[in-house]
Amino acid sequence: MEGFGLEVRDVLEHTPDEVKPPSFPTPANQSATGFPAPKKRVSAFKKQRQNNNTSMLPTPPAQYGPERPPAPKPEVSEKQRIAEENDALLNSLPPDQIMEEQRDLFKNLDPKLIQMLLRRANLDDSGPAKFDPSPEPSSSAKTAPVTTTTKPPKVTVEDVSENIPPPPSKKDPTKPKKTVTFDEDAAPPAPPANLIPVKKITTTDPNLVITPSNAPDEAHTFYTHYPQPPTVPDLDPEDPDFLEKMHSKFFPNLPADPSKLAWMAPIPTPGSAADKESPYYPGQDSLPISALRFDFRGLLIPPRLSRQIPVTKGLHHHGEAPEAAGYTIPELARYARSEVPAQRCIAYQTLGRMLYRLGRGDWGKGEGGRVGEEDDLAFGLWRCFKENRVVESIEEEVQGEEGRGHRSCYAYATEALWLFEKGGWRERWRGM
């Protein structure tokens, strides 16, 4: 270390002075309750008046030292500026004009409004307002001594409360006061002379009306005179006259139309006269092609077998022969034009299978018809298909706009046309 000219000595620690404990600052105006002391506030109106009085004081001459620059003018709010303009305008008016304006106001304004304004004008504004900021002392008032004071002209408002008529009193001392009393023990008012006591009337006339002339005496017992509806026994669905009794009970004022209630009629008893009138009665010698019934697989159901199929198979419906199971070609054609997609799907599927069996020859080869001979079963079924426009209804479903309509109906209709082509009937009898 000698080469560098430095000398290293021991490190000595100085004895510290007395350490002062930390102290928290305390507020200057601490109250006994713990809440801050209220501040004295001055209203904006009083502050404005103080500023006006200060601005009207004469400027004292400078006595010592160079002239000081003027203090910056405090910013004036819009409310103060408008008030100053009003005060300046009021001070510039002569007293005669002020008195004339006062008389015009007293003449045109409502007396109640004038009284309210006078009460507000007489309020003592010496105390500070609650929410106005505290006034700041002017710099010129601190430095310049006040020698003379000139009071601004004071505008006085005459008290015209004596000339204002008092408002009309709502209470009229001459009018008696209305009172309401409730006395349960008081006697009831006298009943009217034509009042008839409630009694029973023994009569069979339901439209009898009681009048003072035919009022009953005390020696007789009577039934009530109110009209009673005719009593109808409870309805039995198994009753042959169920529809007529139901109409007379619930709809006696409406005209009866048995054709609209035929689907609600009970199934006729086998072998009865009503059963023999059924279009699919087994004992008939011949049946029209339009009355033949088929199941959902497209198979022909004979009349005797149609009465043995249970209703759980879903082949019974409210048609021309509700006791017989199966669907005819006209009924399936109506379902093919239904607005319900489920009905159209069942119709397309069943008709497609029937057309396939027709072309395959399950019901004959389609002989006759063209040369005037008697048609066989197959050609008779084809004529029924054409009369009800079955193929046109299926093609209309398939030829719909792409992406429109019901997709399941489109699929079943396409399958029906494919089965019709696969059966070969159209190719064999083209043009028919």
Side-chain angles (χ1 to χ4, degrees):
M1 302 299 291
E2 295 179 357
F4 294 96
L6 298 176
E7 184 178 0
V8 179
R9 298 181 181 182
D10 295 336
V11 179
L12 299 179
E13 295 182 0
H14 296 281
T15 303
D17 300 335
E18 184 180 357
V19 180
K20 296 181 179 181
S23 61
F24 295 96
T26 57
N29 299 329
Q30 185 175 5
S31 61
T33 59
F35 294 95
K39 296 181 180 180
K40 185 177 181 180
R41 302 179 184 273
V42 183
S43 63
F45 178 72
K46 190 172 183 180
K47 182 179 178 181
Q48 178 184 351
R49 292 185 59 183
Q50 292 177 358
N51 295 337
N52 294 339
N53 296 338
T54 305
S55 61
M56 297 181 64
L57 294 177
T59 305
Q63 297 179 0
Y64 306 99
E67 184 179 358
R68 295 182 181 180
K73 188 177 181 180
E75 295 183 0
V76 182
S77 63
E78 185 72 15
K79 180 179 179 181
Q80 295 177 357
R81 186 182 60 81
I82 295 174
E84 291 176 0
E85 292 179 359
N86 294 337
D87 293 341
L89 178 62
L90 193 61
N91 295 334
S92 63
L93 295 177
D96 298 341
Q97 188 175 357
I98 294 176
M99 296 300 296
E100 184 179 356
E101 294 294 337
Q102 289 181 358
R103 285 192 294 269
D104 293 342
L105 291 176
F106 293 151
K107 182 179 179 181
N108 298 328
L109 294 180
D110 188 10
K112 296 182 181 180
L113 179 60
I114 296 176
Q115 286 184 356
M116 182 184 67
L117 295 176
L118 289 176
R119 285 195 299 267
R120 295 188 60 180
N122 295 332
L123 292 176
D124 185 13
D125 58 348
S126 59
K130 187 176 181 181
F131 300 101
D132 292 341
S134 59
E136 298 180 358
S138 176
S139 59
S140 61
K142 291 180 181 180
T143 58
V146 180
T147 57
T148 59
T149 57
T150 305
K151 294 184 179 181
K154 185 180 294 184
V155 180
T156 59
V157 180
E158 295 182 358
D159 189 5
V160 295
S161 59
E162 298 179 357
N163 300 331
I164 300 174
S169 178
K170 296 182 179 180
K171 297 182 179 180
D172 190 359
T174 60
K175 188 175 181 179
K177 185 178 179 180
K178 294 183 178 180
T179 58
V180 179
T181 58
F182 299 93
D183 191 0
E184 298 181 356
D185 299 332
N194 57 352
L195 183 63
I196 302 173
V198 178
K199 295 182 180 180
K200 294 183 179 181
I201 304 172
T202 55
T203 178
T204 57
D205 186 6
N207 298 323
L208 178 64
V209 179
I210 299 300
T211 60
S213 60
N214 62 357
D217 53 7
E218 298 292 340
H220 296 82
T221 303
F222 297 92
Y223 290 109
T224 179
H225 65 279
Y226 297 108
Q228 297 293 334
T231 58
V232 179
D234 295 337
L235 300 179
D236 184 11
E238 303 297 335
D239 190 358
D241 300 333
F242 170 74
L243 298 179
E244 290 77 4
K245 292 182 178 180
M246 182 182 64
H247 181 270
S248 60
K249 180 176 182 179
F250 297 104
F251 313 100
N253 299 328
L254 297 180
D257 190 357
S259 61
K260 293 183 179 180
L261 302 177
W263 64 275
M264 297 182 60
I267 297 177
T269 306
S272 61
D275 186 30
K276 293 180 180 180
E277 296 177 358
S278 174
Y280 214 55
Y281 180 66
Q284 300 184 37
D285 297 336
S286 62
L287 294 173
I289 297 295
S290 60
L292 297 178
R293 295 182 172 270
F294 302 84
D295 61 4
F296 294 134
R297 294 180 299 172
L299 295 174
L300 179 63
I301 302 176
R304 193 175 301 277
L305 183 61
S306 65
R307 299 189 171 216
Q308 300 176 4
I309 297 176
V311 295
T312 55
K313 297 297 182 179
L315 295 173
H316 293 78
H317 55 88
H318 300 285
E320 295 181 355
E323 73 282 352
Y327 291 86
T328 62
I329 295 178
E331 291 172 351
L332 292 173
R334 286 194 296 270
Y335 288 146
R337 294 186 292 271
S338 174
E339 294 184 357
V340 182
Q343 293 181 348
R344 296 205 306 271
C345 290
I346 293 295
Y348 295 153
Q349 185 183 43
T350 307
L351 290 172
R353 295 172 180 179
M354 293 169 61
L355 291 172
Y356 172 74
R357 296 181 183 278
L358 176 66
R360 198 176 60 174
D362 290 0
W363 302 309
K365 298 181 179 180
E367 298 177 352
R370 285 190 172 183
V371 295
E373 300 177 359
E374 185 177 356
D375 298 339
D376 60 355
L377 179 59
F379 213 89
L381 291 174
W382 174 244
R383 287 186 181 277
C384 189
F385 279 123
K386 291 188 63 177
E387 290 175 358
N388 293 275
R389 305 181 65 85
V390 171
V391 180
E392 288 81 353
S393 300
I394 300 175
E395 291 177 347
E396 184 179 356
E397 184 72 35
V398 176
Q399 294 174 359
E401 185 177 354
E402 184 68 22
R404 301 288 297 273
H406 200 272
R407 303 307 301 170
S408 298
C409 295
Y410 177 82
Y412 282 113
T414 304
E415 179 188 4
L417 291 179
W418 180 79
L419 291 174
F420 181 44
E421 295 291 341
K422 188 177 180 181
W425 181 271
R426 173 176 290 181
E427 184 178 357
R428 187 182 315 122
W429 299 100
R430 188 173 302 275
M432 290 295 295

